[in-house]
C-alpha cells in the first residue's frame, strides 16, 4: 500500500503547479513582476532631486516599492485570484480531494515567495544599472531586510487569503481589492516622502502594515541619519516587528476561521 504524502510534500508539489500556472498567464507575469520596475523607471526619471543629504528619490522609492511589492504579490494577487478560482469551482474540487487544506495554502505561499524573490532581483538590478541605487553594506541591515521580507510576505499572504472572502465574485474582485491597495500605497509613503503627507493620512496609514513595511525598508536602504526625518525621529524597528506579527496573527485567524471553498 502506497504511503500518502505529507501535507508539506503535497504543498510543495502544489507550489510547483501554482508557479507553472502563473507562468502561463503572460499578462499577470508582466503586471506582477515588471510593474514595480516600470514605476521605478517613471518616478526615477521624473524626480531626480535629492530629498536629503546622500538620499536620492530613487533610493527612497526602491525601499517603498519593495514593501509595496510584498503587498502586491501577496495580498492583492491572492485576494483577486482566489475568488476567481472559487467562481469556476476549482476550490470546491480541490476540497473534494484527499489533499489537506493546508497544502493548498502552502502552495500559494510558495508562489508568492518565488514571485517576490524575482521582483526584488529585478528592482535591484534595474536600480543599480540605471538609477545608481546603493545596496546596504552592513550585515545588520541585510538581516533586517531578510526578516522584513519573510515576515512581510507571510503577513501579506495571510491577509490576502483572509480578504478573499470579501469580494462577492471573481469578476468583481479586482474592483474591490485594487483601490484599497492603491490608496494604501499613497498613504504609506511609497510614492511620496511620508512626513510630507497630511497628519490624518499618516495616522490612518499607521493602522495598516504597509506603512511599517515601507518604514522598515527605509531603515535598510537609507542612511541612519534619515531616521531623524521619520515621524518618531527613529526607525522604530521593534514596533515594526510587533505590528507585522499582529497583522500576521489576524490574517491567519480569519484565513482559518472564515475561508470559503465554495460560492454562497
Amino acid at each position: 500500500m502506497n504511503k500518502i504524502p505529507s501535507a508539506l510534500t503535497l504543498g510543495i508539489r502544489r507550489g510547483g503547479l501554482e508557479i507553472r500556472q502563473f507562468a502561463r498567464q503572460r499578462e499577470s507575469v508582466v503586471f506582477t513582476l515588471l510593474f514595480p520596475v516600470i514605476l521605478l523607471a517613471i518616478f526615477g526619471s521624473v524626480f531626480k532631486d535629492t530629498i536629503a543629504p546622500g538620499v536620492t528619490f530613487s533610493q527612497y522609492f526602491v525601499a517603498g516599492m519593495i514593501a509595496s511589492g510584498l503587498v502586491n504579490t501577496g495580498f492583492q494577487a491572492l485576494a483577486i485570484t482566489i475568488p476567481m478560482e472559487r467562481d469556476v469551482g476549482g476550490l470546491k474540487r480541490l476540497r473534494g480531494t484527499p489533499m489537506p487544506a493546508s497544502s493548498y495554502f502552502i502552495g500559494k505561499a510558495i508562489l508568492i515567495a518565488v514571485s517576490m524573490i524575482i521582483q526584488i532581483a529585478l528592482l535591484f538590478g534595474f536600480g543599480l544599472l540605471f538609477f545608481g541605487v546603493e545596496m546596504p553594506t552592513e550585515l545588520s541591515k541585510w538581516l533586517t531586510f531578510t526578516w522584513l521580507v519573510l515576515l512581510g510576505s507571510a503577513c501579506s499572504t495571510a491577509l490576502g487569503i483572509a480578504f478573499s472572502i470579501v469580494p462577492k465574485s471573481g469578476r468583481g474582485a479586482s474592483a474591490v481589492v485594487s483601490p484599497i491597495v492603491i490608496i494604501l500605497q499613497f498613504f504609506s509613503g511609497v510614492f511620496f516622502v511620508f512626513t510630507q503627507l497630511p497628519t490624518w493620512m499618516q495616522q490612518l496609514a499607521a493602522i495598516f502594515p504597509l506603512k511599517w513595511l515601507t518604514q522598515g525598508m527605509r531603515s535598510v536602504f537609507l542612511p541612519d541619519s534619515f531616521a531623524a526625518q521619520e515621524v518618531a525621529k527613529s526607525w522604530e524597528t521593534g514596533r515594526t516587528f510587533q505590528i507585522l506579527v499582529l497583522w500576521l496573527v489576524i490574517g491567519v485567524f480569519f484565513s482559518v476561521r472564515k475561508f470559503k471553498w465554495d460560492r454562497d
Side-chain angles (χ1 to χ4, degrees), residues 83-256:
M84 291 180 177
E85 293 176 357
R86 186 184 296 121
D87 270 5
V88 298
L91 297 187
K92 184 178 181 180
R93 290 191 294 272
L94 281 175
R95 192 58 172 158
T97 68
M99 185 184 76
S102 58
S103 299
Y104 171 77
F105 299 124
I106 291 172
K108 289 294 186 185
I110 290 174
L111 171 62
I112 299 307
V114 171
S115 299
M116 195 61 225
I117 290 171
I118 296 173
Q119 190 178 105
I120 290 174
L122 289 173
L123 277 171
F124 280 178
F126 195 83
L128 282 167
L129 289 174
F130 299 103
F131 294 98
V133 173
E134 298 179 2
M135 294 294 105
T137 57
E138 301 172 24
L139 177 60
S140 60
K141 287 184 177 289
W142 282 113
L143 291 175
T144 299
F145 175 78
T146 300
W147 69 255
L148 278 169
V149 170
L150 293 175
L151 185 54
S153 181
C155 181
S156 295
T157 299
L159 290 173
I161 293 171
F163 197 83
S164 67
I165 66 172
V166 175
K168 299 301 182 182
S169 67
R171 181 175 297 180
S174 180
V176 174
V177 177
S178 296
I180 295 175
V181 174
I182 293 172
I183 290 171
L184 286 177
Q185 287 174 333
F186 277 99
F187 281 20
S188 301
V190 173
F191 301 125
F192 306 102
V193 177
F194 185 73
T195 50
Q196 294 178 359
L197 298 173
T199 302
W200 69 268
M201 283 190 185
Q202 297 177 21
Q203 294 172 343
L204 182 61
I207 300 173
F208 301 99
L210 181 55
K211 181 266 182 187
W212 299 98
L213 275 173
T214 56
Q215 185 170 304
M217 287 300 175
R218 288 198 295 272
S219 75
V220 173
F221 290 95
L222 303 187
D224 291 335
S225 58
F226 194 86
Q229 300 195 36
E230 297 291 342
V231 175
K233 309 301 180 184
S234 70
W235 293 127
E236 298 182 283
T237 304
R239 190 177 184 187
T240 297
F241 180 84
Q242 293 171 355
I243 291 176
L244 292 179
V245 169
L246 175 61
W247 274 105
L248 174 60
V249 172
I250 292 172
V252 170
F253 175 81
F254 282 99
S255 295
V256 172

